Amino acid sequence: YLDRVELIQEKPDARPLKKFERSITFEQASFRYPGAPEGFLLHEINLEVNAGEIVALVGPSGAGKTTLANLVPRFYDVTSGSVRVDGTDVRDLKLDDLRSKVSVVAQDTFLFNDTVAANIAYGRKKVKPEEVRGAARSALAEEFILRMPEGYDTLIGERGQKLSGGQRQRLAIARALLKNSPILILDEATSHLDTQS
């Protein structure tokens, strides 16, 4: 596994992305999953999402909503056309820079057998407790966290097994809010939440 070659490679002359300012643009973007040449296909998608804009992609299961979202942080690359951030093809950007500008909250969240606070702060260095609490409040998670035996210090079990589906999703949303990326992708991230949440 460690010797496996990653499909997504950064170009030796990849450009930095200091900040996201204008838009994400799909230009004639097409995609086919590797190893499935006759399988799922996105064909010549044209879409522009401006900074500060909220866009909802709606459609039946299997229509390609998740696949389209996964093209932005380069979890996959388009097979033709391009995905551009502020006018630059994502394949020409440094991967760390690009992915630092994107937060993704998926329907199936991954949590660790650690405390609530550590799961919210995952991947962030030197996070202050008040920042973790602020993100939890914004994600409407603090109320249930404070009811837990040890509050933010409660261990939640492997993959968050001690939490409901909605509670897991709210922790994942809190994690994304704490990261505070300019691009936020919610991939059915509210499927387990009630209407108020």
Side-chain angles (χ1 to χ4, degrees):
Y1 182 80
L2 293 175
D3 292 337
R4 190 180 74 144
V5 176
E6 289 292 330
L7 294 175
I8 303 301
Q9 295 287 325
E10 184 178 283
K11 291 181 179 178
D13 60 344
R15 297 168 52 185
L17 177 65
K18 297 297 182 197
K19 57 185 176 177
F20 170 65
E21 297 178 304
R22 297 188 313 272
S23 66
I24 300 167
T25 309
F26 293 81
E27 295 178 353
Q28 297 292 103
S30 297
F31 175 78
R32 236 183 243 287
Y33 279 102
E38 303 304 319
F40 180 82
L41 172 70
L42 287 176
H43 186 65
E44 297 181 353
I45 304 295
N46 290 297
L47 172 68
E48 183 171 16
V49 180
N50 294 309
E53 191 173 28
I54 297 171
V55 173
L57 300 176
V58 181
S61 294
K65 302 179 297 293
T66 297
T67 300
L68 196 66
N70 285 340
L71 296 175
V72 175
R74 282 194 73 199
F75 295 153
Y76 296 101
D77 277 335
V78 293
T79 50
S80 66
S82 66
V83 178
R84 298 180 175 275
V85 172
D86 284 350
T88 302
D89 192 313
V90 293
R91 294 169 290 191
D92 295 329
L93 294 170
K94 289 186 175 293
L95 271 175
D96 281 351
D97 285 356
L98 173 64
R99 291 179 179 169
S100 73
K101 308 294 182 287
V102 180
S103 290
V104 178
V105 182
Q107 180 178 5
D108 184 24
T109 59
F110 195 91
L111 299 174
F112 299 92
N113 186 18
D114 206 335
T115 65
V116 170
N119 271 282
I120 293 173
Y122 177 74
R124 318 271 6 119
K125 295 178 181 175
K126 298 179 182 174
V127 175
K128 296 176 183 170
E130 56 267 24
E131 293 175 299
V132 171
R133 289 192 296 272
R137 275 192 296 278
S138 295
L140 301 181
E142 188 167 63
E143 184 180 335
F144 80 80
I145 292 169
L146 294 178
R147 287 196 312 261
M148 298 176 84
E150 296 176 59
Y152 283 90
D153 294 323
T154 303
L155 291 173
I156 60 172
E158 197 66 43
R159 295 184 63 90
Q161 66 186 9
K162 295 180 181 178
L163 303 174
S164 72
Q167 290 170 334
R168 287 193 293 271
Q169 284 189 322
R170 282 184 272 176
L171 289 189
I173 292 169
R175 182 188 289 166
L177 294 175
L178 181 63
K179 184 178 176 186
N180 198 26
S181 299
I183 300 168
L184 177 61
I185 298 173
L186 302 174
D187 185 8
E188 296 192 42
T190 59
S191 60
H192 295 292
L193 300 183
D194 57 37
T195 52
Q196 181 182 356
S197 299

